[in-house]
């Protein structure tokens, strides 16, 4: 974990905080906002979107990542995630981020009061399953 903050991180947190306002959370009442910085410089936002069929709910991080990939992005620098409790991304989101982020992608977790911690995907999901573990395709 890296301590301290820079303008880049603070800006990304501010965007994630704004995205959190859009969260659709009638069941958990736990809004999450995400802001993903692509290497292109573009920032993609996400919020969690829940469903009456609970298992169909999707996390803020995956919404941001899927939006970015659908827009043509493949390489990312950092993602900020804002929750009331400085939650780190769930296991599913770590795996999905690892697919595109390699181990260096920064994961900035923050709360609305401005507290933050920075991790890398490699720290949060060591020895992850990747395409390298798949057999060569025929
Ligand atoms: N959630 C996220 O959006 N990101 C995470 O990494 C953890 C959990 C959402 C899913 C659900 O809408 C709510 O938080 C409570 O689990």
């Amino acid at each position: 974990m890296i301590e301290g903050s820079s303008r880049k991180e603070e800006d990304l947190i501010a965007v994630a905080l704004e995205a959190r306002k859009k969260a659709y959370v009638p069941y958990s009442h736990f809004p999450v906002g995400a802001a993903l910085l692509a290497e292109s410089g573009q920032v993609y936002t996400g919020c969690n979107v829940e469903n009456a069929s609970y298992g169909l709910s999707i996390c803020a991080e995956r919404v941001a990542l899927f939006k970015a990939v659908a827009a043509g992005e493949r390489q990312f620098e950092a993602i900020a995630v804002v929750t009331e409790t400085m939650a780190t991304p769930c296991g599913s989101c770590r795996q999905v981020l690892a697919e595109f982020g390699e181990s260096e992608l920064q994961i900035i977790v923050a709360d609305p009061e401005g507290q933050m911690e920075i991790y890398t995907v490699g720290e949060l999901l060591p020895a992850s399953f990747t395409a390298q573990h798949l057999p060569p395709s025929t």
Side-chain angles (χ1 to χ4, degrees):
M1 191 185 77
I2 303 159
E3 304 270 4
S5 67
S6 71
R7 192 74 230 152
K8 180 186 88 176
E9 283 115 28
E10 283 165 17
D11 288 351
L12 218 47
I13 290 168
V15 176
L17 192 57
E18 202 56 32
R20 185 169 167 265
K21 294 182 184 162
K22 308 261 176 37
Y24 176 71
V25 290
Y27 309 106
S28 74
H29 305 288
F30 184 71
V32 184
L36 176 66
L37 174 63
E39 279 189 9
S40 66
Q42 282 289 321
V43 174
Y44 298 85
T45 59
C47 62
N48 47 341
V49 182
E50 298 184 345
N51 194 277
S53 177
Y54 300 160
L56 299 183
S57 302
I58 187 161
C59 295
E61 297 91 323
R62 275 178 283 161
V63 170
L65 184 78
F66 294 160
K67 277 170 67 180
V69 173
E73 306 282 2
R74 293 282 173 90
Q75 273 156 343
F76 304 99
E77 274 187 36
I79 184 168
V81 183
V82 176
T83 62
E84 195 62 46
T85 55
M86 304 226 339
T88 52
C90 76
S92 297
C93 289
R94 293 177 195 199
Q95 177 67 27
V96 170
L97 289 167
E99 176 79 17
F100 292 98
E102 303 182 2
S103 56
E104 297 311 306
L105 175 72
Q106 281 193 341
I107 298 179
I108 304 156
V109 300
D111 70 10
E113 280 70 53
Q115 277 202 90
M116 64 176 278
E117 288 172 352
I118 304 178
Y119 302 89
T120 63
V121 172
E123 281 179 304
L124 295 187
L125 192 68
S128 64
F129 178 75
T130 70
Q132 290 173 346
H133 296 106
L134 295 171
S137 54
T138 51

